[in-house]
Amino acid sequence: MNRLILLASIFLMFGCAKAQELQLGAARMGEYLPLSEGKRIALVVNQTSVINNTHLVDTLVSRGVNVVKVMAPEHGFRGEAPDGEKVDDTKDAKTGLPIISIYGKTKKPTPEMLEDVDVLIFDIQDVGVRFYTFISTMHYVMEAAAENGKQVIVLDRPNPNGMYVDGPVKDDDVNSFVAMHPIPVVHGLTVGELAQMINNEGWLANGATSDLKVIPMLGWDHSQTYSLPIKPSPNLPTDNSITLYPSLGLFEGSVVSVGRGTDHPFEVIGHPDYTPGTYEFTPQPNEGSKYPPMEGKLCKGQSFVGTAAKPEFTLKYLLEYHQEIKDDTTFFRDYIDLLSGTKDFRKQVEAGMSDAEIRATWQPKLNAYKALRKKYLLYKDFK
């Protein structure tokens, strides 16, 4: 009898585990297809918007959903445009649907774009870093929907950097498409959780509130790692690059190359004047970067290719390179203020403050953010 009880317990244990396998928001069609009945749908999607090996556009069209257009963010519908490159309007060859750029003449859907739309469905894989632009696109979609009386449905996906929170919180006097929200560099939220925070904290223009519906995932929590099945953008091709992105991304506001124009973007760093470097590379134009920083110059630095990067936000490498290259008049570009979210960060590094001293200045606002974040969690938090 005891053996039967043991076997039954094992069966139940494994059965429960199976029941908790990851189910993306997009896969939970029973939760959002009823909301699309009789409605004209715009899909805000890209190459990551796939469930069961089929793109969401194709899935919904095949099910008779009245999809009237696709709206494409940075990198375009197929995710092939280089970082920062203007995306043009086009047409989907398979479905014939118009693909409207919201990373071209405008980053915010216009009233004209929404005239024939009732509901906007957002389904894009994010990487959990404030300066990654898909969350800014989501913000503008919500804002435009609120101003034009449309509903927004966010289909949630895992955050591959969702197991920690770190970095400076954006100051009020620093604002751009890569610095839209008063959140830290690593915000620790899924797009669905962040959408609720944006909506309820009054961060949309004029304090507007979007008619928002989030479709949560099943079988995921913030302690889990997540390997992205499709690269979210041309220069984040590996899990390792995504893990390193929060820390190495700050180098984009400096003269140091992060490997754009190589086979290993965000897995290598270097500069011609970094003499301690033992790894060498020469950036050249490629599909992911037409005009890479340090193009044609031999860079000396470090490679993290093949390593298992630790999920963390570290200033170690930035401080090391700044110390070695030294010239404060040329090391940083103005973009560093937007990436760090504060005008103080550049000054702190240039003043020779240590990692610990700089971090101490973040803590009051970071602690306040952490308390705010807990109000919007849809999943069990990391410990």
Side-chain angles (χ1 to χ4, degrees), residues 56-85:
L56 184 66
V57 170
D58 301 325
T59 297
L60 296 188
V61 168
S62 71
R63 288 174 172 260
V65 175
N66 184 21
V67 179
V68 296
K69 66 184 64 174
V70 172
M71 293 186 173
E74 184 177 10
H75 309 297
F77 178 48
R78 297 297 177 189
E80 297 170 347
D83 295 63
E85 182 172 276

Side-chain angles (χ1 to χ4, degrees), residues 330-348:
T330 59
F331 183 82
F332 282 122
R333 300 189 174 103
D334 290 343
Y335 196 45
I336 189 63
D337 296 343
L338 303 181
L339 294 174
S340 64
T342 170
K343 296 177 181 177
D344 293 333
F345 179 73
R346 179 211 305 247
K347 299 173 185 176
Q348 292 167 344

Side-chain angles (χ1 to χ4, degrees), residues 288-305:
S289 186
K290 290 184 177 180
Y291 309 103
M294 294 295 160
E295 179 181 344
K297 296 181 179 180
L298 179 65
C299 296
K300 293 168 286 186
Q302 294 153 280
S303 170
F304 303 95
V305 177

